[in-house]
Amino acid sequence: MCTFVIFNPQRKRSVVQRNNPIISSSVPRSLHLLYCYCNRALNDETNISMICEEGFFDDQYEILVHLEDIIPFYHLDPITANCIVIYMWHLYKKLKTYNNVHKIRFVNPHIIPYVACVTRLDKNSKFEQLNERASVLADKLSQASRNQLVLVPHNVGYHWILTVIDPYKETVYLLDSLSHRIRDEDWKYVVDMSIRLFNSNKAKKGKKHVTWEVVKGPRQPDAKQCGFYVMRYMRDIIEELATIERDSLRSIFIKPQYSREEIDEVRYEWAECIQDYIYD
């Protein structure tokens, strides 16, 4: 029996194409069962509520899971920010199990949304928007403890990347499953400015330039799986914290591409996390 399906009248819904839940041997069983359930139980006016404890995103946080989150995730299509937040919640609980919460801080991708570039005629407005985003990120960095890595999934316009920040060392690691270079200068500006603001908030004299390291991690096989790769990146970081502390973050990303089985591990865990909130 479902105990957490609620009505949410304020959310503006997009049209979601329902698909017949045909079994596929390539889909993790837990995800297929979740998909079948949601096709029957959810509609434009219902969702699954997942209450996350304080410490995940500072105050208590509620994730509202919609059909528009479930369907693309099932079909390996481009996924929503909600999908990534759900998996971050799963990873946070794993960190708690191993008493490693003090080593990782998550930043909610909803609070620093992508803003399309404005024209040169509106340059002042552009930098006002970028500085506002930098201020939000700086506030989250200020809550990090020394030697804690800050994981920031970010959408740079129809594409997810992972930015890993060590604010006290003023070092930024970029993982982009489409490219091994910095492609979004606006996002680089936001992160650089957030670290300058972090230093100001801490009354700390910073370096002249923030250190950026582009990590040559696994690359996605198509134009759709960037969100899944970001989730797998975060999983690998948390699974290999000891290696990162001994060597470097780059040392754990040596594969050219993730296997389907490795991506399906993420999909299985994601579905299991949601199912915990459906059944007694």
Side-chain angles (χ1 to χ4, degrees), residues 47-271:
N47 54 57
I48 300 168
S49 172
M50 301 172 63
I51 303 297
C52 307
E53 66 186 45
E54 292 184 21
F56 175 46
F57 289 150
D58 305 321
D59 298 328
Q60 189 180 79
Y61 186 80
E62 182 182 24
I63 306 171
L64 299 178
V65 188
H66 302 271
L67 193 60
E68 67 185 28
D69 302 314
I70 303 292
I71 290 177
F73 196 93
Y74 179 86
H75 291 288
L76 277 175
D77 286 334
I79 59 175
T80 64
N82 249 12
C83 291
I84 291 178
V85 171
I86 292 164
Y87 195 66
M88 293 166 81
W89 172 232
H90 162 74
L91 293 176
Y92 177 83
K93 291 189 290 183
K94 182 179 287 190
L95 284 168
K96 285 199 69 176
T97 299
Y98 294 103
N99 296 317
N100 280 331
V101 170
H102 63 287
K103 296 182 179 181
I104 296 290
R105 176 169 288 274
F106 295 103
V107 173
N108 185 347
H110 284 295
I111 69 171
I112 313 175
Y114 170 72
V115 178
C117 293
V118 294
T119 66
R120 292 181 180 179
L121 295 177
D122 199 18
K123 189 174 181 179
N124 290 337
S125 295
K126 171 181 177 177
F127 282 100
E128 182 179 342
Q129 291 173 342
L130 295 178
N131 288 331
E132 286 177 359
R133 294 161 69 194
S135 178
V136 172
L137 180 55
D139 179 63
K140 299 305 173 185
L141 296 181
S142 294
Q143 297 168 17
S145 58
R146 195 173 294 274
N147 298 321
Q148 188 175 46
L149 293 177
V150 182
L151 273 54
V152 191
H154 184 66
N155 194 301
V156 292
Y158 303 103
H159 179 60
W160 287 101
I161 63 173
L162 178 65
T163 308
V164 182
I165 305 174
D166 187 333
Y168 285 90
K169 294 181 181 178
E170 299 176 62
T171 300
V172 179
Y173 303 93
L174 178 69
L175 289 116
D176 184 338
S177 57
L178 277 183
S179 176
H180 291 158
R181 62 185 177 86
I182 299 172
R183 298 190 304 147
D184 193 292
E185 290 298 325
D186 284 351
W187 179 239
K188 183 178 185 299
Y189 174 90
V190 168
V191 176
D192 285 347
M193 180 59 69
S194 72
I195 293 177
R196 293 191 187 98
L197 292 171
F198 166 83
N199 287 332
S200 177
N201 293 339
K202 297 289 184 180
K204 174 178 174 291
K205 183 178 179 180
K207 297 189 297 188
K208 186 174 181 180
H209 298 291
V210 174
T211 300
W212 280 76
E213 296 190 22
V214 178
V215 180
K216 296 181 178 180
R219 301 183 71 161
Q220 64 191 79
D222 55 29
K224 298 179 179 181
Q225 292 190 43
C226 55
F228 296 93
Y229 268 58
V230 163
M231 290 189 288
R232 183 73 205 199
Y233 289 155
M234 292 191 291
R235 185 185 195 273
D236 286 353
I237 289 170
I238 286 167
E239 290 288 327
E240 300 294 339
L241 278 172
T243 301
I244 293 170
E245 291 170 350
R246 184 179 64 252
D247 299 323
S248 69
L249 188 145
R250 295 191 307 275
S251 66
I252 68 172
F253 294 104
I254 57 176
K255 296 179 180 179
Q257 184 175 312
Y258 286 126
S259 67
R260 178 59 181 269
E261 289 75 19
E262 288 171 314
I263 295 301
D264 279 350
E265 282 182 326
V266 169
R267 300 169 80 206
Y268 167 82
E269 292 167 346
W270 185 89

